[in-house]
Amino acid sequence: MKKAKKYIKFIVVPLILITMVFNLTACQEKVLQQVDGEAFVLGTYGQIRVFAPSQSKGNKAIEKAFQRIRDIENTMSTSIENSDVYNINQNAGQAAVKVSDDTLYVIEKGIEYKNITKGNFNITLGSLIELWGIGKDWQRIPAQEEIIEAQKHIDINQLEVEGNNVKINDPNMLMDLGGIAKGYAVDEAVKVLKANGIESGFVNLGGDIFVFGEKPDQSPWYIGIQKPELNSSSVMARIAMSNESIVSSGDYERYFIEEDVRYHHIIDPATGYPSDSGVISVTILSDKAIDGDVLSTAVFILGLEEGLALIETLEDVEVAIITSDKLVHISSGLDDKIEILDKAYRMAN
Ligand code: ADP
Ligand code: MG
């Protein structure tokens, strides 16, 4: 009798447990709800979508993620008074500034990428970026002498980092994290969502995107590549992906036009002018959006050959480069992932 009881326990209890787990997963799949949030952050349109057990849990996670993004903006903006970057720039040539661990991480990444990108990505390009003021109310074509003068103050070796203390030694040099902070913010927002129990969704900060987990209906995530044309919001290709980031840079987003010439926001440190490499759009796939943010800008400046060559040397990074002749050039790992949707664009290789 005793033995039989034990036997029943051994069989019945696990059976009940297994059934419960099955029911739970079935329930969860049914009840996961799509929750969307949007906000204007880091000077761009921010969008977060999650699949959550309830609207309120989804909204709560999204709100926390946006808060994290705002915190990053408040420490890394060049214009927000008393941000770390604002303070570093105010104290250029005078004193070191103690910065947050976030800012330190992004600055150190930036320094690393200066070498990887052969100087084309430079977080101390502020003097040139301010001079052009693309997207700001003081945007204009600077005089050649002004450009030459500003170019004298973009030497990253003038940046001194000791622990969390950061100092710019050159009084005329300025830091600008505009090409890297957004990617970092995307990565951090995803961390916050996951820490709040979200298992799938995406974060999109003006084209810096991270997609994670699976959709409840198991259909693939398709992320579109925007048509690199003025005033166009349609998509020219799509990429199936998950658990990685996709970041695009182009010359069609922030610019001004004077006498039929378009001046955009990606500055070539070598010329001091908006880069003119024949590339009109760069899309990077990588494990982290911070890397995608930097590399999309850098490849844009490096141009097709050098840009493609750089990406082929980096592990787990892929690229789609669109040149002005509407040809799409991809790195070796992107072959079966990209699908062209607009017939005006063709695969080059
Ligand atoms: P978007 O915001 O369109 O994604 P990017 O990520 O390409 O643009 O970054 C552009 C921003 O990066 C500029 O607005 C400027 O703040 C900064 N920037 C421009 N040129 C460079 C450069 N060569 N190296 C580092 N940062 C740059
Ligand atoms: Mg970018």
Side-chain angles (χ1 to χ4, degrees):
M1 190 66 185
K2 249 188 173 173
K3 236 184 185 175
K5 244 187 183 170
K6 219 176 183 181
Y7 202 60
I8 287 172
K9 237 192 209 166
F10 266 118
I11 300 211
V12 174
V13 173
L15 255 178
I16 293 175
L17 274 176
I18 287 171
T19 330
M20 273 170 64
V21 170
F22 263 121
N23 282 342
L24 267 177
T25 1
C27 272
Q28 232 172 20
E29 263 175 32
K30 260 186 220 143
V31 297
L32 276 187
Q33 297 180 39
Q34 179 178 319
V35 187
D36 288 288
E38 52 181 58
F40 190 77
V41 282
L42 283 158
T44 192
Y45 169 68
Q47 179 196 18
I48 297 178
R49 170 169 300 170
V50 298
F51 291 100
S54 69
Q55 285 286 327
S56 72
K57 280 198 174 125
N59 281 324
K60 218 166 143 187
I62 289 173
E63 192 34 60
K64 283 187 180 163
F66 272 128
Q67 196 45 55
R68 179 78 176 107
I69 295 168
R70 283 190 203 98
D71 289 344
I72 291 169
E73 179 171 14
N74 288 333
T75 47
M76 298 184 204
S77 156
T78 49
S79 56
I80 294 176
E81 253 177 71
N82 288 320
S83 79
D84 284 344
V85 174
Y86 181 92
N87 288 337
I88 290 168
N89 287 342
Q90 284 288 313
N91 286 286
Q94 298 169 52
V97 171
K98 189 155 193 254
V99 302
S100 70
D101 289 342
D102 281 331
T103 309
L104 181 69
Y105 177 80
V106 172
I107 289 175
E108 284 183 334
K109 268 269 171 204
I111 294 172
E112 219 178 289
Y113 268 115
K114 157 87 194 308
N115 297 324
I116 295 171
T117 64
K118 296 186 193 143
N120 284 286
F121 188 83
N122 181 348
I123 57 166
T124 55
L125 208 61
S127 61
L128 273 169
I129 293 166
E130 282 289 299
L131 183 62
W132 281 93
I134 311 277
K136 306 280 165 58
D137 41 14
W138 64 88
Q139 61 186 18
R140 68 182 174 95
I141 306 168
Q144 186 64 35
E145 306 83 69
E146 290 177 295
I147 288 176
I148 290 167
E149 180 54 33
Q151 272 180 310
K152 290 180 189 157
H153 306 289
I154 58 171
D155 176 8
I156 207 166
N157 295 317
Q158 294 294 315
L159 184 62
E160 225 178 82
V161 180
E162 256 188 59
N164 282 58
N165 297 314
V166 179
K167 188 185 173 199
I168 290 178
N169 288 321
D170 174 351
N172 294 311
M173 195 166 99
L174 296 169
M175 179 180 288
D176 185 306
L177 301 181
I180 185 170
K182 223 186 320 150
Y184 179 67
V186 168
D187 294 332
E188 289 302 301
V190 170
K191 270 192 209 164
V192 170
L193 294 176
K194 287 182 175 170
N196 281 274
I198 304 296
E199 287 174 11
S200 70
F202 67 77
V203 174
N204 176 8
L205 295 184
D208 288 23
I209 302 170
F210 194 98
V211 182
F212 64 103
E214 279 184 34
K215 284 198 229 166
D217 67 0
Q218 311 288 312
S219 65
W221 291 105
Y222 284 112
I223 304 296
I225 299 181
Q226 203 185 319
K227 217 193 261 192
E229 294 167 28
L230 302 191
N231 311 317
S232 168
S233 56
S234 54
V235 158
M236 51 70 61
R238 68 177 190 179
I239 294 183
M241 54 174 284
S242 190
N243 301 313
E244 59 188 328
S245 80
I246 178 163
V247 176
S248 294
S249 273
D251 60 3
Y252 49 88
E253 276 171 339
R254 259 188 296 150
Y255 59 85
F256 68 88
I257 295 176
E258 213 170 294
E259 290 179 359
D260 291 336
V261 180
R262 182 149 45 98
Y263 299 90
H264 63 83
H265 69 308
I266 299 175
I267 307 290
D268 183 344
T271 63
Y273 278 79
S275 98
D276 183 20
S277 62
V279 166
I280 56 174
S281 158
V282 177
T283 298
I284 298 277
L285 272 82
S286 53
D287 290 340
K288 284 184 172 179
I290 189 170
D291 302 297
D293 201 5
V294 168
L295 290 169
S296 60
T297 303
V299 169
F300 195 93
I301 302 169
L302 280 164
L304 177 61
E305 280 82 21
E306 270 193 82
L308 207 52
L310 168 65
I311 297 304
E312 294 291 7
T313 66
L314 304 174
E315 228 169 279
D316 299 324
V317 182
E318 302 299 336
V319 69
I321 300 174
I322 307 177
T323 39
S324 52
D325 49 10
K326 297 197 172 168
L327 288 178
V328 183
H329 312 255
I330 59 172
S331 57
S332 47
L334 213 59
D335 237 354
D336 43 0
K337 282 187 169 176
I338 187 166
E339 190 185 336
I340 307 266
L341 301 172
D342 185 325
K343 288 198 169 64
Y345 293 82
R346 283 183 303 117
M347 293 298 288
N349 38 353

PDB file of all heavy atoms in Angstrom, residues 121 178-183 205-208 247-250 253-254 265-266 282 289-290 292-298, ligand 2:
ATOM      1  N   PHE A 121      36.238  58.186 -37.859  1.00  0.00           N
ATOM      2  CA  PHE A 121      35.285  58.451 -36.783  1.00  0.00           C
ATOM      3  C   PHE A 121      36.056  59.098 -35.635  1.00  0.00           C
ATOM      4  O   PHE A 121      37.024  58.537 -35.129  1.00  0.00           O
ATOM      5  CB  PHE A 121      34.608  57.158 -36.296  1.00  0.00           C
ATOM      6  CG  PHE A 121      33.494  57.454 -35.339  1.00  0.00           C
ATOM      7  CD1 PHE A 121      32.233  57.787 -35.797  1.00  0.00           C
ATOM      8  CD2 PHE A 121      33.722  57.450 -33.965  1.00  0.00           C
ATOM      9  CE1 PHE A 121      31.208  58.097 -34.911  1.00  0.00           C
ATOM     10  CE2 PHE A 121      32.700  57.761 -33.076  1.00  0.00           C
ATOM     11  CZ  PHE A 121      31.449  58.084 -33.544  1.00  0.00           C
ATOM     12  N   GLY A 178      27.590  62.719 -30.836  1.00  0.00           N
ATOM     13  CA  GLY A 178      26.379  62.560 -31.666  1.00  0.00           C
ATOM     14  C   GLY A 178      26.400  61.343 -32.571  1.00  0.00           C
ATOM     15  O   GLY A 178      25.343  60.883 -33.003  1.00  0.00           O
ATOM     16  N   GLY A 179      27.561  60.812 -32.866  1.00  0.00           N
ATOM     17  CA  GLY A 179      27.642  59.655 -33.763  1.00  0.00           C
ATOM     18  C   GLY A 179      27.754  58.334 -33.034  1.00  0.00           C
ATOM     19  O   GLY A 179      27.929  57.285 -33.673  1.00  0.00           O
ATOM     20  N   ILE A 180      27.635  58.355 -31.697  1.00  0.00           N
ATOM     21  CA  ILE A 180      27.829  57.118 -30.934  1.00  0.00           C
ATOM     22  C   ILE A 180      26.833  56.955 -29.773  1.00  0.00           C
ATOM     23  O   ILE A 180      26.442  55.838 -29.425  1.00  0.00           O
ATOM     24  CB  ILE A 180      29.305  57.026 -30.416  1.00  0.00           C
ATOM     25  CG1 ILE A 180      29.580  55.691 -29.719  1.00  0.00           C
ATOM     26  CG2 ILE A 180      29.673  58.193 -29.521  1.00  0.00           C
ATOM     27  CD1 ILE A 180      31.054  55.431 -29.415  1.00  0.00           C
ATOM     28  N   ALA A 181      26.362  58.081 -29.200  1.00  0.00           N
ATOM     29  CA  ALA A 181      25.518  58.012 -27.995  1.00  0.00           C
ATOM     30  C   ALA A 181      24.161  57.369 -28.260  1.00  0.00           C
ATOM     31  O   ALA A 181      23.630  56.656 -27.404  1.00  0.00           O
ATOM     32  CB  ALA A 181      25.313  59.420 -27.430  1.00  0.00           C
ATOM     33  N   LYS A 182      23.625  57.574 -29.459  1.00  0.00           N
ATOM     34  CA  LYS A 182      22.313  57.025 -29.779  1.00  0.00           C
ATOM     35  C   LYS A 182      22.362  55.493 -29.789  1.00  0.00           C
ATOM     36  O   LYS A 182      21.466  54.828 -29.275  1.00  0.00           O
ATOM     37  CB  LYS A 182      21.859  57.542 -31.140  1.00  0.00           C
ATOM     38  CG  LYS A 182      20.410  57.952 -31.138  1.00  0.00           C
ATOM     39  CD  LYS A 182      19.893  58.334 -32.509  1.00  0.00           C
ATOM     40  CE  LYS A 182      20.818  59.121 -33.369  1.00  0.00           C
ATOM     41  NZ  LYS A 182      20.591  58.862 -34.800  1.00  0.00           N
ATOM     42  N   GLY A 183      23.412  54.956 -30.381  1.00  0.00           N
ATOM     43  CA  GLY A 183      23.568  53.497 -30.408  1.00  0.00           C
ATOM     44  C   GLY A 183      23.686  52.938 -29.000  1.00  0.00           C
ATOM     45  O   GLY A 183      23.063  51.925 -28.654  1.00  0.00           O
ATOM     46  N   LEU A 205      15.677  54.156 -32.375  1.00  0.00           N
ATOM     47  CA  LEU A 205      15.926  55.592 -32.166  1.00  0.00           C
ATOM     48  C   LEU A 205      16.353  56.185 -33.497  1.00  0.00           C
ATOM     49  O   LEU A 205      17.535  56.147 -33.860  1.00  0.00           O
ATOM     50  CB  LEU A 205      16.998  55.816 -31.094  1.00  0.00           C
ATOM     51  CG  LEU A 205      16.655  55.364 -29.668  1.00  0.00           C
ATOM     52  CD1 LEU A 205      17.776  55.748 -28.703  1.00  0.00           C
ATOM     53  CD2 LEU A 205      15.344  55.974 -29.195  1.00  0.00           C
ATOM     54  N   GLY A 206      15.393  56.665 -34.242  1.00  0.00           N
ATOM     55  CA  GLY A 206      15.670  57.327 -35.519  1.00  0.00           C
ATOM     56  C   GLY A 206      16.543  56.511 -36.467  1.00  0.00           C
ATOM     57  O   GLY A 206      17.432  57.047 -37.115  1.00  0.00           O
ATOM     58  N   GLY A 207      16.298  55.209 -36.539  1.00  0.00           N
ATOM     59  CA  GLY A 207      17.058  54.373 -37.479  1.00  0.00           C
ATOM     60  C   GLY A 207      18.168  53.567 -36.828  1.00  0.00           C
ATOM     61  O   GLY A 207      18.813  52.755 -37.494  1.00  0.00           O
ATOM     62  N   ASP A 208      18.416  53.764 -35.552  1.00  0.00           N
ATOM     63  CA  ASP A 208      19.306  52.884 -34.794  1.00  0.00           C
ATOM     64  C   ASP A 208      18.403  51.892 -34.079  1.00  0.00           C
ATOM     65  O   ASP A 208      17.696  52.254 -33.140  1.00  0.00           O
ATOM     66  CB  ASP A 208      20.115  53.658 -33.747  1.00  0.00           C
ATOM     67  CG  ASP A 208      21.204  54.525 -34.373  1.00  0.00           C
ATOM     68  OD1 ASP A 208      21.075  54.875 -35.551  1.00  0.00           O
ATOM     69  OD2 ASP A 208      22.182  54.836 -33.669  1.00  0.00           O
ATOM     70  N   VAL A 247      21.612  49.399 -37.968  1.00  0.00           N
ATOM     71  CA  VAL A 247      21.753  50.850 -37.875  1.00  0.00           C
ATOM     72  C   VAL A 247      22.093  51.419 -39.247  1.00  0.00           C
ATOM     73  O   VAL A 247      22.977  50.910 -39.927  1.00  0.00           O
ATOM     74  CB  VAL A 247      22.879  51.226 -36.875  1.00  0.00           C
ATOM     75  CG1 VAL A 247      23.095  52.727 -36.861  1.00  0.00           C
ATOM     76  CG2 VAL A 247      22.568  50.716 -35.477  1.00  0.00           C
ATOM     77  N   SER A 248      21.376  52.461 -39.649  1.00  0.00           N
ATOM     78  CA  SER A 248      21.658  53.067 -40.950  1.00  0.00           C
ATOM     79  C   SER A 248      22.139  54.511 -40.802  1.00  0.00           C
ATOM     80  O   SER A 248      21.712  55.233 -39.903  1.00  0.00           O
ATOM     81  CB  SER A 248      20.403  53.074 -41.823  1.00  0.00           C
ATOM     82  OG  SER A 248      20.037  51.764 -42.148  1.00  0.00           O
ATOM     83  N   SER A 249      23.033  54.897 -41.681  1.00  0.00           N
ATOM     84  CA  SER A 249      23.451  56.294 -41.801  1.00  0.00           C
ATOM     85  C   SER A 249      23.270  56.720 -43.240  1.00  0.00           C
ATOM     86  O   SER A 249      23.513  55.931 -44.153  1.00  0.00           O
ATOM     87  CB  SER A 249      24.926  56.465 -41.432  1.00  0.00           C
ATOM     88  OG  SER A 249      25.072  56.651 -40.062  1.00  0.00           O
ATOM     89  N   GLY A 250      22.851  57.946 -43.445  1.00  0.00           N
ATOM     90  CA  GLY A 250      22.695  58.416 -44.815  1.00  0.00           C
ATOM     91  C   GLY A 250      22.830  59.922 -44.895  1.00  0.00           C
ATOM     92  O   GLY A 250      22.885  60.613 -43.869  1.00  0.00           O
ATOM     93  N   GLU A 253      19.042  62.642 -44.500  1.00  0.00           N
ATOM     94  CA  GLU A 253      18.227  62.919 -43.318  1.00  0.00           C
ATOM     95  C   GLU A 253      18.414  64.325 -42.760  1.00  0.00           C
ATOM     96  O   GLU A 253      17.461  65.065 -42.603  1.00  0.00           O
ATOM     97  CB  GLU A 253      18.541  61.888 -42.236  1.00  0.00           C
ATOM     98  CG  GLU A 253      17.731  60.619 -42.439  1.00  0.00           C
ATOM     99  CD  GLU A 253      18.165  59.513 -41.526  1.00  0.00           C
ATOM    100  OE1 GLU A 253      19.310  59.574 -41.034  1.00  0.00           O
ATOM    101  OE2 GLU A 253      17.382  58.580 -41.313  1.00  0.00           O
ATOM    102  N   ARG A 254      19.653  64.647 -42.434  1.00  0.00           N
ATOM    103  CA  ARG A 254      19.899  65.985 -41.872  1.00  0.00           C
ATOM    104  C   ARG A 254      20.854  66.732 -42.794  1.00  0.00           C
ATOM    105  O   ARG A 254      22.007  66.333 -42.960  1.00  0.00           O
ATOM    106  CB  ARG A 254      20.475  65.859 -40.457  1.00  0.00           C
ATOM    107  CG  ARG A 254      19.383  66.105 -39.413  1.00  0.00           C
ATOM    108  CD  ARG A 254      19.938  66.178 -38.024  1.00  0.00           C
ATOM    109  NE  ARG A 254      20.529  64.926 -37.611  1.00  0.00           N
ATOM    110  CZ  ARG A 254      21.531  64.833 -36.757  1.00  0.00           C
ATOM    111  NH1 ARG A 254      22.090  65.926 -36.266  1.00  0.00           N
ATOM    112  NH2 ARG A 254      22.000  63.667 -36.408  1.00  0.00           N
ATOM    113  N   HIS A 265      25.169  65.973 -42.581  1.00  0.00           N
ATOM    114  CA  HIS A 265      25.712  66.016 -41.220  1.00  0.00           C
ATOM    115  C   HIS A 265      26.870  65.065 -40.921  1.00  0.00           C
ATOM    116  O   HIS A 265      27.326  64.996 -39.788  1.00  0.00           O
ATOM    117  CB  HIS A 265      24.584  65.780 -40.223  1.00  0.00           C
ATOM    118  CG  HIS A 265      24.054  64.371 -40.261  1.00  0.00           C
ATOM    119  ND1 HIS A 265      23.646  63.773 -41.421  1.00  0.00           N
ATOM    120  CD2 HIS A 265      23.879  63.456 -39.299  1.00  0.00           C
ATOM    121  CE1 HIS A 265      23.239  62.556 -41.163  1.00  0.00           C
ATOM    122  NE2 HIS A 265      23.361  62.324 -39.884  1.00  0.00           N
ATOM    123  N   ILE A 266      27.349  64.324 -41.912  1.00  0.00           N
ATOM    124  CA  ILE A 266      28.495  63.441 -41.643  1.00  0.00           C
ATOM    125  C   ILE A 266      29.751  64.104 -42.211  1.00  0.00           C
ATOM    126  O   ILE A 266      29.896  64.266 -43.422  1.00  0.00           O
ATOM    127  CB  ILE A 266      28.277  62.043 -42.252  1.00  0.00           C
ATOM    128  CG1 ILE A 266      27.031  61.407 -41.605  1.00  0.00           C
ATOM    129  CG2 ILE A 266      29.512  61.169 -42.053  1.00  0.00           C
ATOM    130  CD1 ILE A 266      26.633  60.071 -42.197  1.00  0.00           C
ATOM    131  N   VAL A 282      24.430  53.588 -45.628  1.00  0.00           N
ATOM    132  CA  VAL A 282      25.169  52.458 -45.056  1.00  0.00           C
ATOM    133  C   VAL A 282      24.322  51.838 -43.963  1.00  0.00           C
ATOM    134  O   VAL A 282      23.833  52.538 -43.074  1.00  0.00           O
ATOM    135  CB  VAL A 282      26.514  52.910 -44.444  1.00  0.00           C
ATOM    136  CG1 VAL A 282      27.223  51.728 -43.799  1.00  0.00           C
ATOM    137  CG2 VAL A 282      27.408  53.556 -45.482  1.00  0.00           C
ATOM    138  N   ALA A 289      24.225  47.991 -30.884  1.00  0.00           N
ATOM    139  CA  ALA A 289      23.919  49.175 -31.681  1.00  0.00           C
ATOM    140  C   ALA A 289      25.024  50.220 -31.581  1.00  0.00           C
ATOM    141  O   ALA A 289      25.217  51.015 -32.503  1.00  0.00           O
ATOM    142  CB  ALA A 289      22.581  49.767 -31.257  1.00  0.00           C
ATOM    143  N   ILE A 290      25.774  50.226 -30.468  1.00  0.00           N
ATOM    144  CA  ILE A 290      26.844  51.232 -30.337  1.00  0.00           C
ATOM    145  C   ILE A 290      27.863  51.041 -31.465  1.00  0.00           C
ATOM    146  O   ILE A 290      28.332  52.018 -32.069  1.00  0.00           O
ATOM    147  CB  ILE A 290      27.519  51.196 -28.937  1.00  0.00           C
ATOM    148  CG1 ILE A 290      28.455  52.396 -28.770  1.00  0.00           C
ATOM    149  CG2 ILE A 290      28.239  49.888 -28.679  1.00  0.00           C
ATOM    150  CD1 ILE A 290      28.995  52.588 -27.350  1.00  0.00           C
ATOM    151  N   GLY A 292      27.246  49.554 -34.390  1.00  0.00           N
ATOM    152  CA  GLY A 292      26.573  49.876 -35.642  1.00  0.00           C
ATOM    153  C   GLY A 292      26.511  51.373 -35.887  1.00  0.00           C
ATOM    154  O   GLY A 292      26.700  51.850 -37.012  1.00  0.00           O
ATOM    155  N   ASP A 293      26.266  52.128 -34.811  1.00  0.00           N
ATOM    156  CA  ASP A 293      26.158  53.586 -34.921  1.00  0.00           C
ATOM    157  C   ASP A 293      27.476  54.176 -35.441  1.00  0.00           C
ATOM    158  O   ASP A 293      27.505  54.935 -36.418  1.00  0.00           O
ATOM    159  CB  ASP A 293      25.818  54.175 -33.536  1.00  0.00           C
ATOM    160  CG  ASP A 293      25.199  55.557 -33.636  1.00  0.00           C
ATOM    161  OD1 ASP A 293      24.935  56.025 -34.758  1.00  0.00           O
ATOM    162  OD2 ASP A 293      24.973  56.176 -32.579  1.00  0.00           O
ATOM    163  N   VAL A 294      28.571  53.767 -34.805  1.00  0.00           N
ATOM    164  CA  VAL A 294      29.898  54.267 -35.196  1.00  0.00           C
ATOM    165  C   VAL A 294      30.259  53.801 -36.607  1.00  0.00           C
ATOM    166  O   VAL A 294      30.663  54.606 -37.463  1.00  0.00           O
ATOM    167  CB  VAL A 294      30.970  53.744 -34.210  1.00  0.00           C
ATOM    168  CG1 VAL A 294      32.362  53.997 -34.752  1.00  0.00           C
ATOM    169  CG2 VAL A 294      30.786  54.368 -32.839  1.00  0.00           C
ATOM    170  N   LEU A 295      30.093  52.509 -36.850  1.00  0.00           N
ATOM    171  CA  LEU A 295      30.571  51.947 -38.115  1.00  0.00           C
ATOM    172  C   LEU A 295      29.756  52.429 -39.316  1.00  0.00           C
ATOM    173  O   LEU A 295      30.305  52.585 -40.406  1.00  0.00           O
ATOM    174  CB  LEU A 295      30.583  50.414 -38.043  1.00  0.00           C
ATOM    175  CG  LEU A 295      31.663  49.849 -37.111  1.00  0.00           C
ATOM    176  CD1 LEU A 295      31.454  48.361 -36.869  1.00  0.00           C
ATOM    177  CD2 LEU A 295      33.069  50.111 -37.675  1.00  0.00           C
ATOM    178  N   SER A 296      28.456  52.704 -39.117  1.00  0.00           N
ATOM    179  CA  SER A 296      27.664  53.197 -40.248  1.00  0.00           C
ATOM    180  C   SER A 296      28.184  54.573 -40.670  1.00  0.00           C
ATOM    181  O   SER A 296      28.319  54.868 -41.864  1.00  0.00           O
ATOM    182  CB  SER A 296      26.166  53.238 -39.912  1.00  0.00           C
ATOM    183  OG  SER A 296      25.912  54.086 -38.828  1.00  0.00           O
ATOM    184  N   THR A 297      28.508  55.404 -39.695  1.00  0.00           N
ATOM    185  CA  THR A 297      29.070  56.724 -39.987  1.00  0.00           C
ATOM    186  C   THR A 297      30.455  56.596 -40.639  1.00  0.00           C
ATOM    187  O   THR A 297      30.754  57.249 -41.642  1.00  0.00           O
ATOM    188  CB  THR A 297      29.171  57.556 -38.689  1.00  0.00           C
ATOM    189  OG1 THR A 297      27.867  57.639 -38.105  1.00  0.00           O
ATOM    190  CG2 THR A 297      29.700  58.946 -38.949  1.00  0.00           C
ATOM    191  N   ALA A 298      31.287  55.716 -40.064  1.00  0.00           N
ATOM    192  CA  ALA A 298      32.665  55.575 -40.557  1.00  0.00           C
ATOM    193  C   ALA A 298      32.706  55.026 -41.974  1.00  0.00           C
ATOM    194  O   ALA A 298      33.453  55.534 -42.821  1.00  0.00           O
ATOM    195  CB  ALA A 298      33.462  54.672 -39.618  1.00  0.00           C
TER     196      ALA A 298
HETATM  197 MG    MG B   2      24.252  56.569 -36.565  1.00  0.00          MG
END
